[in-house]
Amino acid sequence: MALTVAVAGATGYAGGEILRLLLGHPAYLSGELAIGALTANSNAGQKVASLMPNLPALAERAILKTTPENLDGHDVVFLALPHGYSAEIARQLPEETLVLDCGADFRLVDSGDWVKYYGNDHAGHWPYGIPEMPGRRELIARSRRVAVPGCFPTGATLAALPALACGLAEPDLSIVSVTGVSGAGKKAAVNLLGSETMGSLRAYNTAGKHRHTPEIVQNLKQGTGLDVRVSFTPVLAPLPRGILTTITAPLREGVSTQSAHEAFCDYYAGEQFVWVMPAGGQPQTQNVVGTNMCHIQVEVDEDAGKLLVTSAIDNLTKGTAGAAVQCMNIALGWTEAAGLPTAAVAP
């Protein structure tokens, strides 16, 4: 009997990306995995064909209302919902159901951080889904609940971890992430209209106000055991997908570009979704679109005494849906890379 998968919030960008990946998953193609309920709220009752014509294999499927009853009975449930909606639904699903929450509800350990940045009651904490972090694969493999990471924390965490864990830089990071507009979701908003974003760049939620700031700090503290300070600035750019992150930090004595590059290569040796680029290359968002990859480069700015790390991810794939499918594969004991592209479309 096929394993059944439901997607809540299926008509959003993250939900649609999960479906795109599932449709190419070897288990789906072999009949071992079946796509069950597709749910949403405002789009309930409509057909996939009218909402997501990029998914013709599901064109005649109707979107159901997002309720625990419609999600119950599935082996796997992806929750691609805004923060604050997942917790109550998750509580009503059976313990044996594998639930992967792409929202923020269960990412933060510290309830004080949650209240400060999100303003409502803390729902708790689930095992966190960046498999490339130390010890995460083992935790995910024995879990039935997984908190899928935020897109900004994914690119920043993967870029910063080797720098701190290998003693290349001081744990005082300045992080700037340039992101495409799909990171804000499909909701209608004046500041996300084409006429407002095309030909313009804008920083937002600056000076430590962005909700992903405590998530980045949490990851780096857990991954290195260091007391980490982070200044995070997100910048909105006129592109659909992608996040380019640059990190600068005070350089430790004796570190060169060559030694830093070797340390990064050693740290990610064997990681199929992290590519430390050859010296001289630079990550570009166009080279990761639609993939579960994170491209990274590291350099030393000798005159400034700073380490510079740059990373590129697709915010909807490695930053959300790809991470969710990667965690599903691990939790189910499947090949981790199953259904996850590593080659982008070019040009």
Side-chain angles (χ1 to χ4, degrees), residues 186-315:
K186 266 188 180 178
K187 63 182 179 294
V190 171
N191 66 319
L192 297 176
L193 291 172
S195 57
E196 300 291 331
T197 57
M198 287 188 295
S200 180
L201 295 171
R202 174 173 62 87
Y204 64 101
N205 289 338
T206 53
K209 293 188 288 291
H210 196 280
R211 288 167 168 169
H212 284 172
T213 301
E215 189 178 337
I216 296 170
V217 173
Q218 172 182 284
N219 293 351
L220 298 180
K221 285 184 175 181
Q222 290 180 349
T224 66
L226 298 173
D227 186 14
V228 181
R229 297 178 62 188
V230 167
S231 174
F232 174 56
T233 304
V235 177
L236 186 67
L239 65 159
R241 293 174 177 245
I243 295 177
L244 184 73
T245 294
T246 59
I247 301 177
T248 54
L251 190 66
R252 289 272 175 90
E253 188 175 351
V255 177
S256 65
T257 292
Q258 182 178 344
S259 65
H261 191 270
E262 290 173 354
F264 268 66
C265 289
D266 289 343
Y267 190 91
Y268 284 123
E271 288 293 352
Q272 55 199 321
F273 296 124
V274 180
W275 183 39
V276 180
M277 300 181 67
Q282 277 295 331
Q284 298 183 61
T285 56
Q286 68 176 354
N287 294 330
V288 295
V289 169
T291 79
N292 201 51
M293 294 296 296
C294 177
H295 291 186
I296 292 178
Q297 185 57 277
V298 58
E299 301 170 90
V300 166
D301 185 338
E302 294 181 359
D303 291 339
K306 297 292 179 68
L307 187 77
L308 170 64
V309 189
T310 309
S311 71
I313 64 169
D314 183 325
N315 57 295

Side-chain angles (χ1 to χ4, degrees), residues 35-326:
I35 297 174
L38 309 180
T39 78
N41 283 320
S42 59
N43 291 319
Q46 298 188 58
K47 292 286 185 70
V48 169
S50 64
L51 300 167
M52 297 178 286
N54 62 308
L55 304 175
L58 301 172
E60 295 306 311
R61 296 285 296 277
I63 303 298
L64 306 177
K65 193 75 174 175
T66 299
T67 66
E69 292 75 21
N70 284 333
L71 298 173
D72 193 14
H74 294 81
D75 300 294
V76 180
V77 175
F78 291 95
L79 300 176
L81 304 171
H83 79 270
Y85 288 84
S86 298
E88 186 57 35
I89 290 176
R91 289 192 189 100
Q92 299 181 60
L93 296 176
E95 291 184 5
E96 63 270 18
T97 304
L98 175 58
V99 182
L100 302 112
D101 182 24
C102 295
D105 289 22
F106 298 100
R107 293 174 186 161
L108 296 181
V109 175
D110 189 291
S111 60
D113 282 343
W114 176 268
V115 173
K116 176 181 177 180
Y117 283 88
Y118 290 90
N120 56 351
D121 292 338
H122 187 222
H125 178 253
W126 288 355
Y128 187 80
I130 294 184
E132 294 83 3
M133 287 179 63
R136 293 295 156 169
R137 284 187 174 87
E138 296 78 11
L139 193 58
I140 294 166
R142 59 177 183 265
S143 300
R144 294 292 93 181
R145 299 288 189 272
V146 178
V148 178
C151 52
F152 284 130
T154 297
T157 298
L158 293 174
L161 271 177
L164 301 180
C166 300
L168 306 176
E170 299 293 338
D172 186 2
L173 309 180
S174 176
I175 304 175
V176 178
S177 293
V178 181
T179 182
V181 295
S182 62
K186 266 188 180 178
K187 63 182 179 294
V190 171
N191 66 319
L192 297 176
L193 291 172
S195 57
E196 300 291 331
T197 57
M198 287 188 295
S200 180
L201 295 171
R202 174 173 62 87
Y204 64 101
N205 289 338
T206 53
K209 293 188 288 291
H210 196 280
R211 288 167 168 169
H212 284 172
T213 301
E215 189 178 337
I216 296 170
V217 173
Q218 172 182 284
N219 293 351
L220 298 180
K221 285 184 175 181
Q222 290 180 349
T224 66
L226 298 173
D227 186 14
V228 181
R229 297 178 62 188
V230 167
S231 174
F232 174 56
T233 304
V235 177
L236 186 67
L239 65 159
R241 293 174 177 245
I243 295 177
L244 184 73
T245 294
T246 59
I247 301 177
T248 54
L251 190 66
R252 289 272 175 90
E253 188 175 351
V255 177
S256 65
T257 292
Q258 182 178 344
S259 65
H261 191 270
E262 290 173 354
F264 268 66
C265 289
D266 289 343
Y267 190 91
Y268 284 123
E271 288 293 352
Q272 55 199 321
F273 296 124
V274 180
W275 183 39
V276 180
M277 300 181 67
Q282 277 295 331
Q284 298 183 61
T285 56
Q286 68 176 354
N287 294 330
V288 295
V289 169
T291 79
N292 201 51
M293 294 296 296
C294 177
H295 291 186
I296 292 178
Q297 185 57 277
V298 58
E299 301 170 90
V300 166
D301 185 338
E302 294 181 359
D303 291 339
K306 297 292 179 68
L307 187 77
L308 170 64
V309 189
T310 309
S311 71
I313 64 169
D314 183 325
N315 57 295
L316 293 180
T317 317
K318 183 58 175 169
T320 310
V325 172
Q326 187 178 351

